[in-house]
């Protein structure tokens, strides 16, 4: 068994759609980044890469490369799932926590889990997504961005 950990953070800005866990969430701001800036999928992608010791998302899909501009993070994650299974690993489960002051994510968690399970090629029961706030402390607590933490287990 191999454990993997991933972390990511992106700024929240006006004029961008909010894409989180591969779904669009209605909100007045969106995450800023070279790709669609899906902070949750990026953390999960890095967890998979960590468990398989295949590097990190920045090394595989550099934000200096125009190829990845506006990239769909689901495509990047799918590519990493492919590489990980190529190494002979099977994904047992993923557990993630999103840190966001707003919007409230509770009503979107079921849709996010379903979408992520589809991207990862596992049952929904193998995908856990949790949401918390930063209790109004620091930059995340002021709503300047969102962070995500993820762990996964490969067998
Ligand atoms: Mg990122």
């Amino acid at each position: 068994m191999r454990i993997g950990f991933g972390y990511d953070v992106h700024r929240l800005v006006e004029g961008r759609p909010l894409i989180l866990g591969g779904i669009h969430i209605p909100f007045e701001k969106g995450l800023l980044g070279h790709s669609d800036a899906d902070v949750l999928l990026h953390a999960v992608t890095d967890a998979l890469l960590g468990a398989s010791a295949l590097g990190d998302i920045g090394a595989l899909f550099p934000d200096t490369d125009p190829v990845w501009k506006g990239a769909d993070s689901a495509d990047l994650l799918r590519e990493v799932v492919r590489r990980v299974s190529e190494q002979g690993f099977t994904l047992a489960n993923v557990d993630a926590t999103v840190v966001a002051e707003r919007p409230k994510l509770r009503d979107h968690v079921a849709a996010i889990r379903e979408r992520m399970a589809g991207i990862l090629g596992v049952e929904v029961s193998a995908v856990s997504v949790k949401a918390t706030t930063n209790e109004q402390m620091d930059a995340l607590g002021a709503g300047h961005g969102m962070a995500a933490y993820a762990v996964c287990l490969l067998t």
Side-chain angles (χ1 to χ4, degrees):
M1 285 190 289
R2 304 276 295 249
I3 193 169
F5 169 75
Y7 167 78
D8 196 26
V9 63
H10 281 270
R11 287 174 190 270
L12 267 173
V13 297
E14 280 167 16
R16 295 261 303 181
L18 176 57
I19 309 293
L20 195 67
I23 69 165
H24 175 256
I25 294 176
F27 190 52
E28 71 255 27
K29 291 180 177 178
L31 295 166
L32 180 65
H34 189 68
S35 65
D36 62 14
D38 189 326
V39 71
L40 175 53
L41 291 194
H42 290 183
V44 170
T45 301
D46 257 359
L48 284 167
L49 289 170
S52 53
L54 287 175
D56 65 45
I57 191 169
L60 264 61
F61 313 108
D63 61 9
T64 49
D65 189 336
V67 167
W68 308 117
K69 185 160 172 56
D72 181 344
S73 297
D75 291 339
L76 309 187
L77 179 52
R78 248 185 242 106
E79 170 59 15
V80 166
V81 168
R82 192 190 65 76
R83 292 192 196 193
V84 164
S85 55
E86 208 172 61
Q87 300 292 312
F89 293 116
T90 302
L91 178 60
N93 77 302
V94 169
D95 180 26
T97 297
V98 178
V99 185
E101 217 61 25
R102 290 176 59 235
K104 283 283 167 244
L105 298 174
R106 186 171 315 228
D107 295 344
H108 303 287
V109 163
I112 289 173
R113 288 179 63 210
E114 197 159 321
R115 170 80 166 123
M116 283 174 53
I119 298 164
L120 294 164
V122 297
E123 298 291 320
V124 176
S125 60
V127 180
S128 163
V129 175
K130 310 181 302 298
T132 188
T133 71
N134 215 37
E135 292 288 333
Q136 298 173 12
M137 293 184 290
D138 302 329
L140 292 177
H144 296 320
M146 284 188 186
Y149 300 86
V151 289
C152 74
L153 199 67
L154 302 182
T155 58

